[in-house]
Amino acid sequence: MAVTLKEVAERAGVSRSAVSRTFTQGASVSAKTRKKVEKAARDLGYSPSLIARSLATNRTKLIGLIANNFQNPVFLEVFDLYTRALQERNLRPLLVNLTDQTDPSASVQLLKQYSVDGVIVASSTLPPLFAHAFKEAQVPVVHAFGRFASTPDIHIVGIDNEHCGALAAETLQKHRYKRVAFLGGPQSATSAQDRGAGFTRRAKEIGLEIVSSLYADAYAYNSGQQAMRELLEDRRFEAVFCGDDLICMGAMDAARDAGLSIPQDVGFIGFNDMNMAAWQAYSLTTIRQPTSEIILSSVDLVVSMLDTPERAPEVRLFPCSVVERSTLRPV
Amino acid sequence: MAVTLKEVAERAGVSRSAVSRTFTQGASVSAKTRKKVEKAARDLGYSPSLIARSLATNRTKLIGLIANNFQNPVFLEVFDLYTRALQERNLRPLLVNLTDQTDPSASVQLLKQYSVDGVIVASSTLPPLFAHAFKEAQVPVVHAFGRFASTPDIHIVGIDNEHCGALAAETLQKHRYKRVAFLGGPQSATSAQDRGAGFTRRAKEIGLEIVSSLYADAYAYNSGQQAMRELLEDRRFEAVFCGDDLICMGAMDAARDAGLSIPQDVGFIGFNDMNMAAWQAYSLTTIRQPTSEIILSSVDLVVSMLDTPERAPEVRLFPCSVVERSTLRPV
DNA sequence: CTGTTTTTTGCAACCGGTTGCAAAATTTTC
DNA sequence: GAAAATTTTGCAACCGGTTGCAAAAAACAG
């Protein structure tokens, strides 16, 4: 069916190796044969089979991309950036959707079977153990949006969530809030834990009183909405720090539904600065997570591991910053 | 490095074919050898290389998934559903992000090189010519969310956009609107054209006056917002039909920004019924596109083509329905 | 023009599986 | 228990490329 190396070789009147060499980077072929081969290939509409090449070279140019949150639109930005960054480097993403049902070890197995060249775990909710499984299986792995550890045993690219939580506390204080609430992401997520911890610690330090504290059950709109309703039962807070923009939007809608206006009756600060945070209906003051830097950096990292797999584990942290919009009262 | 067939065979004391057979569906092996092989494989931690298998069987279990809109959160739902549906069928998505810069023929080439078993073009904006390229290259292809044609030459799964546009007109009439505006998706998209055409036709038939008509430049929030501002310069309409929910949200925010309230001053009807349409800040009345049915059906279709590639081109259309929320005045 | 060095080329083995075929082993039949 | 029918097994060729190695060709030096 498809045109093969052999046919091209015959037509060009050269050996199969000659054809192979004209199609592999940095191999030595004379200008003359290269020309002959290229003509023959063009005539026949030949393009080398990546499968066969992969088998021979033990390289697939496939990068496993593991994600487990398809509810949060941030991830669409994430996919967009990943697919583009990989495509530019002549790599392909093999997308794995890790639902709660799927057995983690199964997907390790799976990606091993496809012999992906590397894996990017793009999730702030997956436990580190997950990325480890790949390290153990000897496949280059980087955990993007993962939990920062001072003595990492795998590559981590992300932010210092603890510090960013503290930043939220400072921002609330700057806006002269005294009593606040914390509405975090799912408690099982390391990112949610760390943001909460940093927020709590710093709040204590600067005399900001946390009157309520609650973890939503997912990084999702509905979860934020529902958690906010609960929070509203005992409304002694003047502002809420939400561990995620999407949760924050749900929370804001719940607050408005209860007849509160923002920021007059209650202030909000979110986390991520997703595209939608700038929408007029929300115009969310939020902590910006440098998504695109994290993604580019994690791709670069995984690429460099292709050549030097034994690279020492590295942590790359990017700074977050406050984006002021209109959900906190003017200072 | 990785454990191979041969090593398992040696350890189990059988031939390589025996090992191969215990790992391929429907091959004949005795219970006894199967047991021996399975034990050896377990001991060694063997899992067959899909690359090698692909080379031998000429099947990769890879499905190319082509998308070109990573701005619209609907596509996150789309990716979620696709990845799950494929995973359940033991197939993997190879994601191609078709930005405006990428050369279409290059990605055809690319997917051919990876010898994907099939391709799903998931886009309502790509021209049909695109899916054709795959048909020509002899790879099973279905165009999901594609333009309906009565004499299709490739498989199409989607909706009758023309009819759905008409449905929008009827809904506006039902709510006693007389003068309306049309705010479509990008004019180059067949879906936008068809929705517009159906809307216009039906409006004329039932005596609904279309006072303005405009195409946004993308299926995106900002585009909707911007187009609405333009529309507002000459506000003779009482309601707007937006060719997409996201555009509609942008438009609503623009209207609110201009001091209008919804639905008192101006009504809105969207298209898609994406998750966010139910959000309280919008609570959008919209035409529901049966995304999940379309996706499941297109996966089934592509799967069935794997076995019978010569299947006659088929069109599968799913009905849309109106979801009433609060952006049209009560009838 | 010859001898040396460098570049190009083809051979053949290999990557890790699958599969048609015939021989061997097992089961069934009488 | 032998013959026939059926199932299981191993051999060997194949899928479509890459690559180390040695021979051949080309380039260079004197």
Side-chain angles (χ1 to χ4, degrees):
Chain A
M1 178 113 300
V3 187
T4 82
L5 195 67
K6 201 169 131 213
E7 304 172 51
V8 178
E10 277 162 13
R11 182 175 240 263
V14 297
S15 74
R16 298 180 339 148
S17 347
V19 179
S20 172
R21 286 188 179 110
T22 69
F23 283 99
T24 49
Q25 278 296 9
S28 109
V29 243
S30 69
K32 199 167 45 172
T33 44
R34 150 157 280 133
K35 191 157 271 171
K36 274 194 296 185
V37 170
E38 274 169 355
K39 168 139 183 23
R42 215 173 320 111
D43 292 351
L44 262 36
Y46 168 79
S47 71
S49 152
L50 289 186
I51 301 290
R53 174 177 292 174
S54 296
L55 185 58
T57 58
N58 207 22
R59 288 291 192 92
T60 54
K61 297 201 168 257
L62 248 29
I63 301 288
L65 186 56
I66 300 195
N68 68 337
N69 187 340
F70 283 71
Q71 276 67 252
N72 196 327
V74 200
F75 271 85
L76 195 57
E77 304 172 32
V78 169
F79 289 146
D80 188 23
L81 291 164
Y82 268 122
T83 48
R84 293 162 91 129
L86 290 172
Q87 279 173 197
E88 273 164 23
R89 289 165 179 76
N90 200 21
L91 298 166
R92 308 295 138 204
L94 194 62
L95 195 53
V96 176
N97 184 348
L98 212 68
T99 61
D100 295 337
Q101 299 91 303
T102 50
D103 174 22
S105 77
S107 52
V108 176
Q109 188 72 0
L110 192 145
L111 288 173
K112 244 177 65 185
Q113 287 193 158
Y114 271 103
S115 34
V116 294
D117 287 346
V119 171
I120 296 174
V121 178
S123 166
S124 70
T125 60
L126 287 173
L129 135 169
F130 202 85
H132 275 112
F134 289 102
K135 187 189 164 120
E136 235 131 83
Q138 308 260 40
V139 4
V141 58
V142 359
H143 190 170
F145 304 99
R147 177 180 242 172
F148 145 67
S150 27
T151 56
D153 29 17
I154 54 167
H155 296 269
I156 308 274
V157 182
I159 57 173
D160 182 345
N161 281 301
E162 209 273 351
H163 177 260
C164 293
L167 186 56
E170 287 164 17
T171 308
L172 288 175
Q173 193 210 28
K174 182 177 138 213
H175 283 259
R176 310 265 170 254
Y177 289 102
K178 293 283 178 205
R179 293 183 318 278
V180 298
F182 170 67
L183 174 39
Q187 188 148 27
S188 58
T190 57
S191 54
Q193 295 162 16
D194 295 349
R195 286 168 203 171
F199 183 66
T200 312
R201 172 184 61 74
R202 192 70 185 135
K204 202 160 283 172
E205 288 171 11
I206 60 181
L208 193 67
E209 191 191 351
I210 300 182
V211 297
S212 314
S213 185
L214 192 59
Y215 289 88
D217 48 50
Y219 278 126
Y221 176 88
N222 286 334
S223 308
Q225 195 178 31
Q226 190 189 320
M228 188 65 192
R229 287 203 196 105
E230 244 172 88
L231 235 40
L232 283 172
E233 284 168 15
D234 175 25
R235 192 166 74 75
R236 282 146 48 220
F237 51 84
E238 309 154 317
V240 185
F241 166 43
C242 296
D244 176 81
D245 285 349
L246 198 60
I247 288 181
C248 202
M249 293 176 178
M252 284 173 68
D253 280 348
R256 286 173 180 150
D257 194 45
L260 302 174
S261 41
I262 301 164
Q264 292 78 3
D265 301 325
V266 56
F268 283 93
I269 179 167
F271 201 104
N272 261 352
D273 194 29
M274 63 195 296
N275 285 338
M276 287 161 40
W279 287 12
Q280 278 180 36
Y282 296 98
S283 187
L284 193 50
T285 291
T286 189
I287 311 267
R288 174 174 181 272
Q289 171 163 227
T291 313
S292 131
E293 283 89 336
I294 293 174
I295 289 173
L296 258 27
S297 179
S298 58
V299 169
D300 281 342
L301 195 47
V302 88
V303 165
S304 75
M305 289 174 78
L306 301 184
D307 299 321
T308 48
E310 65 291 335
R311 251 184 105 105
E314 192 175 318
V315 172
R316 297 188 181 178
L317 258 25
F318 291 90
C320 293
S321 53
V322 179
V323 179
E324 302 262 5
R325 293 203 184 86
S326 2
T327 52
L328 290 184
R329 66 178 170 221
V331 5
Chain B
M1 176 114 302
V3 188
T4 80
L5 196 66
K6 201 169 130 214
E7 304 173 50
V8 178
E10 277 162 12
R11 182 176 241 265
V14 297
S15 74
R16 300 182 339 154
S17 347
V19 179
S20 172
R21 285 186 180 113
T22 71
F23 283 98
T24 49
Q25 280 294 10
S28 110
V29 244
S30 68
K32 201 166 45 172
T33 43
R34 151 158 280 135
K35 192 157 272 174
K36 275 195 295 187
V37 170
E38 274 170 353
K39 169 140 185 18
R42 218 174 317 113
D43 292 351
L44 263 36
Y46 168 78
S47 71
S49 152
L50 290 184
I51 301 290
R53 175 176 292 173
S54 296
L55 184 57
T57 58
N58 206 22
R59 288 292 192 91
T60 55
K61 299 203 166 256
L62 249 29
I63 301 288
L65 186 56
I66 300 194
N68 68 337
N69 186 340
F70 283 71
Q71 276 67 253
N72 196 327
V74 202
F75 270 85
L76 195 57
E77 304 171 32
V78 169
F79 289 146
D80 189 23
L81 291 163
Y82 268 123
T83 48
R84 294 162 90 129
L86 290 172
Q87 279 174 197
E88 273 165 23
R89 289 165 179 76
N90 201 21
L91 297 167
R92 309 295 137 202
L94 194 62
L95 195 53
V96 177
N97 184 348
L98 212 69
T99 59
D100 294 339
Q101 298 90 306
T102 51
D103 174 22
S105 78
S107 51
V108 177
Q109 188 72 0
L110 192 144
L111 289 174
K112 242 177 65 185
Q113 286 193 156
Y114 270 102
S115 34
V116 294
D117 288 346
V119 171
I120 297 173
V121 178
S123 167
S124 70
T125 58
L126 288 172
L129 135 167
F130 203 84
H132 274 114
F134 288 102
K135 188 192 163 115
E136 235 131 83
Q138 307 260 38
V139 4
V141 58
V142 359
H143 190 171
F145 304 98
R147 178 180 242 170
F148 146 68
S150 29
T151 55
D153 30 16
I154 55 166
H155 296 268
I156 308 273
V157 181
I159 56 173
D160 183 345
N161 280 301
E162 208 271 352
H163 177 259
C164 293
L167 186 56
E170 287 164 17
T171 308
L172 288 174
Q173 193 211 29
K174 182 176 139 215
H175 282 260
R176 309 262 170 259
Y177 288 103
K178 294 282 178 208
R179 292 183 318 279
V180 299
F182 170 67
L183 173 40
Q187 187 148 25
S188 57
T190 57
S191 53
Q193 295 162 16
D194 295 348
R195 287 169 202 171
F199 183 67
T200 313
R201 173 186 57 75
R202 192 71 184 135
K204 202 160 281 168
E205 288 170 12
I206 60 182
L208 192 68
E209 189 191 351
I210 300 181
V211 297
S212 312
S213 186
L214 193 59
Y215 288 89
D217 49 49
Y219 278 126
Y221 176 89
N222 286 334
S223 308
Q225 195 177 29
Q226 191 189 321
M228 188 66 192
R229 289 205 193 103
E230 245 173 87
L231 235 40
L232 283 171
E233 284 168 15
D234 174 25
R235 193 165 75 73
R236 281 147 48 221
F237 52 85
E238 310 153 316
V240 186
F241 166 44
C242 296
D244 175 80
D245 285 350
L246 198 61
I247 288 180
C248 201
M249 294 176 179
M252 283 172 68
D253 280 347
R256 286 172 181 152
D257 194 45
L260 302 174
S261 40
I262 302 165
Q264 292 77 6
D265 300 327
V266 55
F268 282 94
I269 180 168
F271 201 105
N272 261 352
D273 194 30
M274 65 196 295
N275 286 337
M276 287 162 40
W279 286 13
Q280 278 181 34
Y282 297 98
S283 187
L284 192 51
T285 292
T286 188
I287 310 266
R288 172 172 184 274
Q289 171 163 227
T291 314
S292 130
E293 284 89 335
I294 292 173
I295 289 173
L296 259 25
S297 179
S298 58
V299 169
D300 281 342
L301 195 47
V302 87
V303 164
S304 74
M305 288 174 79
L306 301 184
D307 299 320
T308 46
E310 66 290 336
R311 254 184 102 105
E314 193 175 316
V315 172
R316 297 189 181 177
L317 258 25
F318 291 90
C320 292
S321 54
V322 179
V323 179
E324 301 262 6
R325 294 204 184 86
S326 359
T327 51
L328 291 184
R329 66 179 170 220
V331 6

